[in-house]
Amino acid sequence: MSGRCAVLLLAGTILAVPSRAQVAISGKINGFVTDVSGAGVAGASLNVSGAALMAERTSKSQSDGSFLFDQLPVGTYEVKVSMPGFKTLVQPNVTLTSGFTA
């Protein structure tokens, strides 16, 4: 009978692991870079910085102006968008909580 108990405990342990793995401990920042007419701006430089990051993250906007920074640790960030010929935009105090998308 002790063999059955060991199997049941192991099965219970395996089933519990995926539940904990699904808990979000990060968030995302996404959006669109547009000009004054609302058209997407491709190739704009984006930088995300914050105390929760070991190093600043950089990216470029896609052909439709969209961008995404995912898997960001919970914390407060500054997002900087720049493109030659455009004014640089700095958005401070972007706060991410667990599972949140800003």
Side-chain angles (χ1 to χ4, degrees):
M1 188 166 266
S2 63
R4 277 189 169 164
C5 290
V7 171
L8 291 175
L9 290 175
L10 180 58
T13 302
I14 292 171
L15 293 175
V17 172
S19 297
R20 280 186 264 137
Q22 292 174 356
V23 174
I25 57 170
S26 62
K28 301 176 187 179
I29 297 175
N30 69 355
F32 289 88
V33 179
T34 59
D35 63 15
V36 293
S37 73
V41 177
S45 296
L46 294 121
N47 302 67
V48 172
S49 59
L53 293 175
M54 294 183 73
E56 180 179 88
R57 291 199 192 169
T58 61
S59 186
K60 297 275 186 184
S61 58
Q62 301 298 309
S63 60
D64 64 351
S66 65
F67 66 90
L68 170 66
F69 290 96
D70 61 354
Q71 300 297 315
L72 292 171
V74 170
T76 302
Y77 295 92
E78 178 181 274
V79 180
K80 181 178 173 183
V81 183
S82 60
M83 179 79 172
F86 291 86
K87 183 178 177 182
T88 297
L89 171 74
V90 178
Q91 179 65 54
N93 301 317
V94 177
T95 303
L96 292 182
T97 56
S98 190
F100 184 71
T101 300

Coordinates of all heavy atoms in Angstrom, one line a residue:
M1 N 0.8 -1.2 0.0 CA 0.0 0.0 0.0 C 0.9 1.3 0.0 O 0.5 2.3 -0.5 CB -0.9 0.0 1.2 CG -1.9 1.1 1.1 SD -3.3 1.0 2.2 CE -4.5 0.2 1.2
S2 N 2.1 1.2 0.5 CA 2.9 2.4 0.5 C 3.3 2.8 -0.9 O 3.6 3.9 -1.2 CB 4.2 2.1 1.4 OG 4.9 1.1 0.8
G3 N 3.4 1.8 -1.8 CA 3.7 2.1 -3.2 C 2.6 3.0 -3.8 O 2.9 3.9 -4.6
R4 N 1.3 2.8 -3.5 CA 0.2 3.6 -4.0 C 0.3 5.0 -3.5 O 0.1 6.0 -4.2 CB -1.1 3.0 -3.6 CG -1.6 1.9 -4.5 CD -3.0 1.6 -4.2 NE -3.5 0.7 -5.2 CZ -4.6 0.0 -5.0 NH1 -5.2 0.1 -3.9 NH2 -5.1 -0.7 -6.0
C5 N 0.6 5.2 -2.2 CA 0.7 6.5 -1.6 C 1.8 7.3 -2.3 O 1.6 8.5 -2.6 CB 1.0 6.4 -0.1 SG -0.4 5.8 0.8
A6 N 2.9 6.7 -2.6 CA 4.0 7.4 -3.3 C 3.6 7.9 -4.6 O 3.9 9.0 -5.0 CB 5.3 6.5 -3.3
V7 N 2.9 7.1 -5.4 CA 2.4 7.5 -6.7 C 1.5 8.6 -6.6 O 1.5 9.6 -7.4 CB 1.8 6.3 -7.5 CG1 1.2 6.7 -8.7 CG2 2.9 5.2 -7.7
L8 N 0.5 8.6 -5.7 CA -0.4 9.7 -5.6 C 0.2 11.0 -5.2 O -0.1 12.0 -5.7 CB -1.5 9.3 -4.6 CG -2.5 8.2 -5.0 CD1 -3.4 7.8 -3.9 CD2 -3.3 8.6 -6.2
L9 N 1.2 11.0 -4.3 CA 1.8 12.2 -3.9 C 2.6 12.8 -5.1 O 2.7 14.0 -5.3 CB 2.8 11.9 -2.7 CG 2.0 11.7 -1.4 CD1 3.1 11.3 -0.3 CD2 1.2 12.9 -1.0
L10 N 3.3 12.0 -5.9 CA 4.1 12.4 -7.0 C 3.1 13.0 -8.0 O 3.4 14.1 -8.6 CB 4.9 11.3 -7.6 CG 5.7 11.6 -8.8 CD1 6.7 12.7 -8.5 CD2 6.4 10.4 -9.3
A11 N 2.0 12.4 -8.3 CA 1.1 13.0 -9.3 C 0.5 14.3 -8.8 O 0.4 15.2 -9.6 CB -0.1 12.0 -9.5
G12 N 0.3 14.4 -7.5 CA -0.2 15.7 -7.0 C 0.9 16.8 -7.1 O 0.6 17.9 -7.4
T13 N 2.1 16.4 -6.9 CA 3.2 17.4 -7.1 C 3.3 17.9 -8.5 O 3.5 19.0 -8.8 CB 4.5 16.8 -6.6 OG1 4.4 16.4 -5.3 CG2 5.7 17.8 -6.7
I14 N 3.2 17.0 -9.5 CA 3.3 17.3 -10.9 C 2.2 18.2 -11.3 O 2.4 19.2 -12.0 CB 3.4 16.0 -11.8 CG1 4.7 15.3 -11.5 CG2 3.2 16.4 -13.2 CD1 4.8 13.9 -12.1
L15 N 1.0 17.9 -10.8 CA -0.2 18.8 -11.2 C -0.1 20.2 -10.6 O -0.6 21.1 -11.2 CB -1.5 18.1 -10.7 CG -1.8 16.8 -11.5 CD1 -3.0 16.1 -10.8 CD2 -2.0 17.0 -12.9
A16 N 0.6 20.3 -9.5 CA 0.7 21.6 -8.8 C 1.7 22.5 -9.5 O 1.5 23.8 -9.5 CB 1.0 21.5 -7.4
V17 N 2.7 22.0 -10.2 CA 3.7 22.8 -10.8 C 3.2 23.7 -11.9 O 3.5 24.9 -11.9 CB 4.9 22.0 -11.3 CG1 5.9 22.8 -12.1 CG2 5.6 21.3 -10.1
P18 N 2.4 23.3 -12.8 CA 1.9 24.2 -13.9 C 1.1 25.3 -13.3 O 1.1 26.4 -13.9 CB 1.1 23.3 -14.8 CG 1.6 21.9 -14.6 CD 2.0 21.9 -13.1
S19 N 0.3 25.1 -12.3 CA -0.5 26.2 -11.7 C 0.4 27.3 -11.3 O 0.1 28.5 -11.5 CB -1.3 25.6 -10.5 OG -2.2 24.7 -11.0
R20 N 1.5 27.1 -10.6 CA 2.4 28.1 -10.1 C 3.1 28.8 -11.3 O 3.4 29.9 -11.3 CB 3.4 27.6 -9.1 CG 2.8 27.5 -7.8 CD 3.9 27.1 -6.8 NE 3.8 25.6 -6.6 CZ 4.8 24.8 -6.6 NH1 6.0 25.2 -6.6 NH2 4.6 23.5 -6.5
A21 N 3.4 28.0 -12.3 CA 4.1 28.5 -13.5 C 3.3 29.5 -14.3 O 3.8 30.3 -15.0 CB 4.6 27.4 -14.4
Q22 N 2.0 29.5 -14.1 CA 1.1 30.4 -14.9 C 0.9 31.7 -14.2 O 0.3 32.6 -14.8 CB -0.3 29.7 -15.1 CG -0.2 28.5 -16.0 CD -1.5 27.7 -16.1 OE1 -2.4 28.0 -15.4 NE2 -1.5 26.7 -16.9
V23 N 1.4 31.9 -13.0 CA 1.3 33.2 -12.4 C 2.2 34.2 -13.0 O 3.4 34.0 -13.2 CB 1.7 33.1 -10.9 CG1 1.7 34.4 -10.2 CG2 0.7 32.1 -10.2
A24 N 1.6 35.3 -13.5 CA 2.4 36.3 -14.2 C 3.2 37.2 -13.2 O 2.7 37.6 -12.2 CB 1.4 37.2 -15.0
I25 N 4.5 37.3 -13.5 CA 5.4 38.1 -12.7 C 6.0 39.2 -13.6 O 7.0 39.8 -13.3 CB 6.5 37.3 -12.0 CG1 7.3 36.5 -13.0 CG2 5.9 36.4 -10.9 CD1 8.5 35.8 -12.5
S26 N 5.4 39.4 -14.7 CA 5.9 40.4 -15.7 C 4.7 41.1 -16.4 O 3.6 40.7 -16.2 CB 6.8 39.8 -16.7 OG 6.1 38.8 -17.5
G27 N 5.0 42.1 -17.1 CA 4.0 42.8 -17.9 C 4.5 43.2 -19.2 O 5.7 42.9 -19.6
K28 N 3.7 44.0 -20.0 CA 4.1 44.4 -21.3 C 3.8 45.9 -21.5 O 2.9 46.4 -20.9 CB 3.2 43.7 -22.4 CG 3.3 42.2 -22.4 CD 2.3 41.6 -23.4 CE 2.3 40.1 -23.3 NZ 1.3 39.5 -24.2
I29 N 4.6 46.5 -22.4 CA 4.3 47.8 -22.9 C 4.2 47.7 -24.4 O 5.1 47.3 -25.0 CB 5.4 48.8 -22.5 CG1 5.5 48.9 -21.0 CG2 5.2 50.2 -23.1 CD1 6.7 49.8 -20.5
N30 N 3.0 48.2 -24.9 CA 2.9 48.1 -26.3 C 2.1 49.4 -26.8 O 1.5 50.1 -26.0 CB 2.2 46.8 -26.8 CG 0.8 46.7 -26.4 OD1 0.2 47.5 -25.7 ND2 0.2 45.7 -26.9
G31 N 2.1 49.6 -28.1 CA 1.4 50.8 -28.6 C 1.8 51.0 -30.1 O 2.3 50.1 -30.7
F32 N 1.5 52.2 -30.5 CA 1.8 52.7 -31.9 C 2.5 54.0 -31.9 O 2.1 54.9 -31.0 CB 0.5 52.8 -32.7 CG -0.2 51.5 -33.0 CD1 -1.1 50.9 -32.1 CD2 0.1 50.8 -34.2 CE1 -1.7 49.7 -32.4 CE2 -0.5 49.6 -34.5 CZ -1.4 49.1 -33.6
V33 N 3.4 54.2 -32.8 CA 4.0 55.5 -33.0 C 3.4 56.1 -34.2 O 3.4 55.4 -35.3 CB 5.6 55.3 -33.2 CG1 6.2 56.7 -33.5 CG2 6.2 54.6 -32.1
T34 N 2.8 57.2 -34.1 CA 2.0 57.9 -35.2 C 2.5 59.3 -35.4 O 3.0 59.9 -34.4 CB 0.5 57.8 -34.9 OG1 0.2 58.5 -33.7 CG2 0.0 56.4 -34.8
D35 N 2.3 59.8 -36.6 CA 2.5 61.2 -36.8 C 1.3 62.0 -36.5 O 0.3 61.5 -36.1 CB 3.1 61.5 -38.2 CG 2.1 61.1 -39.3 OD1 0.9 60.9 -39.0 OD2 2.5 60.9 -40.5
V36 N 1.3 63.3 -36.8 CA 0.1 64.2 -36.4 C -1.1 63.8 -37.2 O -2.2 64.1 -36.7 CB 0.4 65.7 -36.6 CG1 1.5 66.1 -35.6 CG2 0.9 66.0 -38.0
S37 N -1.0 63.2 -38.4 CA -2.1 62.8 -39.1 C -2.7 61.4 -38.7 O -3.8 61.0 -39.1 CB -1.8 62.7 -40.6 OG -1.0 61.5 -40.9
G38 N -2.0 60.7 -37.8 CA -2.4 59.4 -37.3 C -1.8 58.3 -38.0 O -2.1 57.1 -37.7
A39 N -1.0 58.6 -39.0 CA -0.3 57.5 -39.8 C 0.8 56.8 -39.0 O 1.5 57.5 -38.2 CB 0.2 58.0 -41.1
G40 N 0.9 55.5 -39.1 CA 2.0 54.8 -38.4 C 3.4 55.3 -38.8 O 3.6 55.5 -40.0
V41 N 4.3 55.4 -37.9 CA 5.7 55.7 -38.2 C 6.6 54.5 -38.1 O 6.7 54.0 -37.0 CB 6.2 56.9 -37.3 CG1 7.6 57.2 -37.6 CG2 5.3 58.1 -37.5
A42 N 7.1 54.0 -39.2 CA 7.9 52.8 -39.1 C 9.4 53.2 -38.8 O 9.8 54.3 -39.2 CB 7.9 52.1 -40.5
G43 N 10.1 52.4 -38.1 CA 11.5 52.6 -37.8 C 11.8 53.6 -36.7 O 13.0 53.9 -36.5
A44 N 10.8 54.0 -35.9 CA 11.1 54.9 -34.8 C 11.9 54.1 -33.7 O 11.7 53.0 -33.5 CB 9.8 55.5 -34.2
S45 N 12.8 54.8 -33.1 CA 13.6 54.2 -32.0 C 12.9 54.2 -30.7 O 12.4 55.3 -30.3 CB 15.0 54.8 -31.9 OG 15.7 54.7 -33.0
L46 N 12.8 53.1 -30.0 CA 12.1 53.1 -28.7 C 13.1 52.5 -27.7 O 13.8 51.6 -27.9 CB 10.9 52.2 -28.8 CG 9.8 52.7 -29.7 CD1 9.5 51.7 -30.8 CD2 8.6 53.0 -28.9
N47 N 13.1 53.2 -26.5 CA 13.9 52.7 -25.4 C 13.0 52.7 -24.1 O 12.2 53.6 -23.9 CB 15.0 53.8 -25.1 CG 15.9 54.0 -26.3 OD1 15.4 54.6 -27.3 ND2 17.1 53.6 -26.2
V48 N 13.2 51.6 -23.4 CA 12.5 51.4 -22.1 C 13.6 51.2 -21.1 O 14.5 50.4 -21.2 CB 11.6 50.2 -22.2 CG1 11.0 49.9 -20.8 CG2 10.4 50.4 -23.1
S49 N 13.5 52.0 -20.0 CA 14.4 51.9 -18.9 C 13.7 52.0 -17.6 O 12.6 52.5 -17.5 CB 15.5 53.1 -19.0 OG 14.8 54.3 -18.9
G50 N 14.3 51.4 -16.6 CA 13.7 51.4 -15.3 C 14.6 50.6 -14.3 O 15.4 49.8 -14.7
A51 N 14.4 50.8 -13.0 CA 15.2 50.2 -12.0 C 15.1 48.6 -12.0 O 16.0 47.9 -11.6 CB 14.8 50.7 -10.6
A52 N 13.9 48.1 -12.5 CA 13.7 46.7 -12.5 C 14.5 46.0 -13.6 O 14.7 44.7 -13.6 CB 12.2 46.3 -12.7
L53 N 15.1 46.7 -14.5 CA 15.8 46.2 -15.7 C 17.3 46.3 -15.4 O 17.8 47.2 -14.8 CB 15.6 46.9 -17.0 CG 14.2 46.8 -17.6 CD1 14.0 47.7 -18.8 CD2 13.9 45.3 -17.9
M54 N 18.1 45.3 -15.8 CA 19.5 45.3 -15.6 C 20.1 46.2 -16.7 O 21.2 46.8 -16.5 CB 20.1 43.9 -15.7 CG 19.7 43.0 -14.6 SD 20.4 41.4 -14.6 CE 22.1 41.8 -14.1
A55 N 19.5 46.3 -17.9 CA 19.9 47.2 -18.9 C 18.7 47.7 -19.7 O 17.7 47.1 -19.7 CB 20.8 46.4 -19.9
E56 N 18.9 48.9 -20.3 CA 17.8 49.5 -21.1 C 17.5 48.6 -22.3 O 18.3 47.9 -22.8 CB 18.4 50.8 -21.6 CG 17.4 51.6 -22.5 CD 18.0 52.9 -23.0 OE1 18.7 52.9 -24.0 OE2 17.8 53.9 -22.3
R57 N 16.2 48.5 -22.6 CA 15.8 47.7 -23.8 C 15.5 48.6 -24.9 O 14.9 49.7 -24.7 CB 14.6 46.9 -23.4 CG 14.9 45.7 -22.5 CD 13.8 44.7 -22.5 NE 14.0 43.8 -21.4 CZ 13.1 42.9 -21.1 NH1 12.0 42.8 -21.7 NH2 13.3 42.1 -20.0
T58 N 15.8 48.2 -26.1 CA 15.6 49.1 -27.3 C 14.9 48.3 -28.3 O 14.9 47.0 -28.4 CB 16.9 49.6 -27.9 OG1 17.7 48.5 -28.3 CG2 17.7 50.4 -26.9
S59 N 14.2 49.0 -29.2 CA 13.4 48.3 -30.3 C 13.2 49.4 -31.4 O 13.5 50.6 -31.2 CB 12.1 47.7 -29.8 OG 11.5 47.0 -30.8
K60 N 12.6 49.0 -32.5 CA 12.2 49.9 -33.5 C 10.7 49.6 -33.8 O 10.2 48.5 -33.7 CB 12.9 49.6 -34.8 CG 14.4 49.8 -34.8 CD 14.7 51.3 -35.0 CE 16.2 51.5 -35.1 NZ 16.6 52.9 -35.2
S61 N 9.9 50.6 -34.2 CA 8.5 50.4 -34.5 C 8.4 49.7 -35.8 O 9.3 49.8 -36.7 CB 7.8 51.8 -34.6 OG 8.4 52.6 -35.5
Q62 N 7.4 48.9 -35.9 CA 7.1 48.1 -37.1 C 6.6 48.9 -38.3 O 6.4 50.1 -38.1 CB 6.1 47.0 -36.8 CG 6.6 46.0 -35.7 CD 7.8 45.3 -36.1 OE1 7.9 44.7 -37.1 NE2 8.8 45.3 -35.2
S63 N 6.3 48.3 -39.4 CA 5.9 49.1 -40.6 C 4.6 49.8 -40.4 O 4.3 50.9 -41.0 CB 5.7 48.1 -41.8 OG 4.8 47.1 -41.5
D64 N 3.7 49.3 -39.5 CA 2.5 50.0 -39.1 C 2.6 51.0 -37.9 O 1.6 51.6 -37.5 CB 1.3 49.0 -38.9 CG 1.6 48.1 -37.7 OD1 2.7 48.2 -37.1 OD2 0.7 47.4 -37.3
G65 N 3.8 51.1 -37.4 CA 4.1 52.0 -36.2 C 4.0 51.2 -34.9 O 4.2 51.8 -33.9
S66 N 3.6 50.0 -34.9 CA 3.4 49.2 -33.7 C 4.7 48.9 -33.0 O 5.7 48.7 -33.7 CB 2.5 48.0 -33.9 OG 3.2 47.1 -34.7
F67 N 4.7 48.7 -31.7 CA 5.8 48.2 -30.9 C 5.3 47.4 -29.8 O 4.2 47.5 -29.3 CB 6.7 49.4 -30.5 CG 6.1 50.3 -29.5 CD1 6.2 50.0 -28.1 CD2 5.3 51.4 -29.8 CE1 5.6 50.8 -27.1 CE2 4.7 52.2 -28.9 CZ 4.9 51.9 -27.6
L68 N 6.2 46.6 -29.2 CA 5.9 45.7 -28.1 C 7.2 45.4 -27.3 O 8.2 45.1 -27.9 CB 5.3 44.4 -28.5 CG 5.2 43.3 -27.5 CD1 4.2 43.7 -26.4 CD2 4.8 42.0 -28.1
F69 N 7.1 45.7 -26.0 CA 8.2 45.3 -25.1 C 7.4 44.3 -24.1 O 6.5 44.7 -23.4 CB 8.7 46.4 -24.3 CG 9.6 47.4 -25.1 CD1 9.0 48.5 -25.6 CD2 10.9 47.1 -25.3 CE1 9.8 49.4 -26.3 CE2 11.7 48.0 -26.0 CZ 11.2 49.1 -26.5
D70 N 7.8 43.0 -24.2 CA 7.1 42.0 -23.3 C 8.1 41.5 -22.3 O 9.3 41.8 -22.4 CB 6.4 40.9 -24.1 CG 7.4 40.1 -25.0 OD1 8.5 40.4 -25.1 OD2 6.9 39.1 -25.5
Q71 N 7.6 40.7 -21.4 CA 8.4 40.1 -20.3 C 9.2 41.1 -19.5 O 10.3 40.9 -19.2 CB 9.4 39.0 -20.9 CG 8.7 37.9 -21.7 CD 7.8 37.1 -20.7 OE1 8.2 36.7 -19.6 NE2 6.6 36.8 -21.2
L72 N 8.6 42.2 -19.3 CA 9.2 43.3 -18.4 C 8.8 42.9 -17.0 O 7.7 42.7 -16.6 CB 8.6 44.6 -18.8 CG 9.0 45.2 -20.1 CD1 8.2 46.5 -20.4 CD2 10.5 45.5 -20.2
P73 N 9.9 43.0 -16.1 CA 9.6 42.7 -14.7 C 8.6 43.8 -14.1 O 8.6 44.9 -14.6 CB 10.9 42.8 -14.0 CG 11.9 42.7 -15.1 CD 11.3 43.2 -16.3
V74 N 7.9 43.5 -13.1 CA 7.0 44.4 -12.5 C 7.8 45.6 -12.0 O 8.9 45.4 -11.5 CB 6.3 43.7 -11.3 CG1 5.5 44.7 -10.4 CG2 5.3 42.7 -11.8
G75 N 7.3 46.8 -12.3 CA 8.1 48.0 -11.9 C 7.6 49.2 -12.6 O 6.5 49.2 -13.3
T76 N 8.3 50.3 -12.5 CA 8.0 51.6 -13.1 C 9.1 51.9 -14.2 O 10.3 51.7 -13.9 CB 7.9 52.7 -12.1 OG1 7.0 52.4 -11.1 CG2 7.6 54.1 -12.7
Y77 N 8.6 52.3 -15.3 CA 9.5 52.5 -16.5 C 9.3 53.9 -17.1 O 8.3 54.6 -16.9 CB 9.1 51.5 -17.5 CG 9.4 50.1 -17.1 CD1 8.5 49.3 -16.5 CD2 10.7 49.5 -17.2 CE1 8.8 48.0 -16.0 CE2 11.0 48.3 -16.8 CZ 10.0 47.5 -16.2 OH 10.3 46.3 -15.7
E78 N 10.3 54.2 -17.9 CA 10.3 55.4 -18.7 C 10.4 54.9 -20.2 O 11.3 54.1 -20.5 CB 11.5 56.4 -18.4 CG 11.5 57.6 -19.3 CD 12.6 58.5 -19.0 OE1 12.5 59.3 -18.1 OE2 13.7 58.4 -19.7
V79 N 9.5 55.4 -21.0 CA 9.5 55.0 -22.4 C 9.9 56.2 -23.3 O 9.4 57.3 -23.1 CB 8.2 54.5 -22.9 CG1 8.2 54.1 -24.4 CG2 7.7 53.3 -22.1
K80 N 10.9 56.1 -24.1 CA 11.4 57.2 -24.9 C 11.3 56.8 -26.4 O 11.7 55.7 -26.8 CB 12.9 57.5 -24.6 CG 13.5 58.6 -25.4 CD 14.9 58.8 -24.9 CE 15.7 59.8 -25.8 NZ 17.1 59.9 -25.4
V81 N 10.7 57.7 -27.2 CA 10.5 57.4 -28.6 C 11.1 58.5 -29.4 O 10.9 59.7 -29.1 CB 9.0 57.4 -29.0 CG1 8.8 57.0 -30.5 CG2 8.2 56.4 -28.1
S82 N 12.0 58.2 -30.4 CA 12.7 59.2 -31.2 C 12.7 58.8 -32.6 O 12.8 57.6 -33.0 CB 14.0 59.5 -30.6 OG 14.8 58.3 -30.7
M83 N 12.8 59.8 -33.5 CA 12.9 59.6 -34.9 C 13.4 60.9 -35.5 O 12.9 62.0 -35.2 CB 11.5 59.2 -35.5 CG 11.4 59.0 -37.0 SD 12.0 57.4 -37.3 CE 11.6 57.3 -39.1
P84 N 14.4 60.8 -36.4 CA 14.8 62.0 -37.1 C 13.7 62.8 -37.7 O 12.8 62.2 -38.4 CB 15.9 61.5 -38.1 CG 16.3 60.2 -37.6 CD 15.1 59.6 -36.9
G85 N 13.7 64.1 -37.5 CA 12.6 64.9 -38.1 C 11.4 65.1 -37.2 O 10.5 65.8 -37.5
F86 N 11.3 64.3 -36.1 CA 10.2 64.4 -35.1 C 10.7 64.8 -33.8 O 11.9 64.6 -33.4 CB 9.5 63.0 -35.0 CG 8.8 62.6 -36.2 CD1 9.5 61.9 -37.3 CD2 7.4 62.8 -36.4 CE1 8.8 61.5 -38.4 CE2 6.7 62.4 -37.5 CZ 7.4 61.8 -38.5
K87 N 9.9 65.4 -33.0 CA 10.2 65.7 -31.6 C 10.3 64.4 -30.8 O 9.4 63.5 -31.0 CB 9.1 66.6 -31.0 CG 9.4 67.1 -29.6 CD 8.3 68.0 -29.1 CE 8.6 68.4 -27.7 NZ 7.5 69.2 -27.1
T88 N 11.2 64.3 -29.9 CA 11.4 63.1 -29.1 C 10.3 63.1 -28.0 O 10.0 64.2 -27.4 CB 12.8 63.0 -28.4 OG1 13.7 62.9 -29.4 CG2 12.9 61.9 -27.4
L89 N 9.7 62.0 -27.8 CA 8.6 61.8 -26.7 C 9.2 61.0 -25.6 O 9.8 59.9 -25.8 CB 7.4 61.1 -27.3 CG 6.3 60.8 -26.2 CD1 5.6 62.0 -25.8 CD2 5.4 59.7 -26.8
V90 N 9.1 61.5 -24.4 CA 9.5 60.7 -23.2 C 8.2 60.6 -22.3 O 7.6 61.6 -21.9 CB 10.6 61.5 -22.4 CG1 10.9 60.7 -21.1 CG2 11.8 61.6 -23.3
Q91 N 7.9 59.3 -22.0 CA 6.7 59.1 -21.1 C 7.2 58.4 -19.8 O 7.6 57.3 -19.8 CB 5.8 58.1 -21.8 CG 4.5 57.7 -21.0 CD 3.7 58.9 -20.7 OE1 3.2 59.6 -21.6 NE2 3.4 59.2 -19.5
P92 N 7.3 59.2 -18.8 CA 7.8 58.7 -17.5 C 6.7 58.0 -16.7 O 5.5 58.1 -17.1 CB 8.3 59.9 -16.7 CG 7.4 61.0 -17.2 CD 7.1 60.6 -18.7
N93 N 7.1 57.3 -15.7 CA 6.2 56.7 -14.7 C 5.1 55.7 -15.3 O 3.9 55.8 -15.0 CB 5.5 57.8 -13.9 CG 6.4 58.6 -13.1 OD1 7.4 58.1 -12.6 ND2 6.3 59.9 -13.2
V94 N 5.6 54.9 -16.2 CA 4.7 53.8 -16.8 C 4.8 52.6 -15.8 O 5.9 52.0 -15.7 CB 5.1 53.4 -18.2 CG1 4.2 52.3 -18.7 CG2 5.1 54.6 -19.1
T95 N 3.8 52.4 -15.0 CA 3.8 51.4 -14.0 C 3.2 50.1 -14.4 O 2.1 50.1 -14.9 CB 3.1 51.9 -12.7 OG1 3.7 53.1 -12.3 CG2 3.2 50.9 -11.6
L96 N 4.0 49.0 -14.3 CA 3.5 47.7 -14.7 C 3.3 46.9 -13.4 O 4.2 46.8 -12.5 CB 4.5 46.9 -15.6 CG 4.7 47.5 -17.0 CD1 5.6 46.6 -17.7 CD2 3.3 47.5 -17.7
T97 N 2.1 46.2 -13.3 CA 1.9 45.3 -12.2 C 1.8 43.9 -12.9 O 1.8 43.8 -14.1 CB 0.6 45.6 -11.5 OG1 -0.5 45.7 -12.4 CG2 0.7 46.9 -10.8
S98 N 1.7 42.9 -12.1 CA 1.7 41.5 -12.6 C 0.6 41.3 -13.6 O -0.5 41.5 -13.3 CB 1.6 40.6 -11.4 OG 1.8 39.3 -11.8
G99 N 1.0 40.8 -14.8 CA 0.1 40.5 -15.9 C -0.5 41.7 -16.6 O -1.4 41.5 -17.4
F100 N 0.0 42.9 -16.3 CA -0.6 44.1 -16.9 C 0.0 44.5 -18.2 O 1.2 44.3 -18.4 CB -0.4 45.3 -15.9 CG -1.0 46.6 -16.3 CD1 -2.4 46.8 -16.2 CD2 -0.2 47.6 -16.7 CE1 -3.0 48.0 -16.6 CE2 -0.8 48.9 -17.0 CZ -2.1 49.0 -17.0
T101 N -0.7 45.1 -19.1 CA -0.2 45.6 -20.4 C -0.5 47.1 -20.4 O -1.6 47.5 -20.2 CB -0.9 45.0 -21.6 OG1 -0.7 43.6 -21.6 CG2 -0.4 45.5 -22.9
A102 N 0.5 47.9 -20.6 CA 0.4 49.4 -20.6 C 0.5 49.8 -22.1 O 1.2 49.2 -22.9 CB 1.5 50.0 -19.8

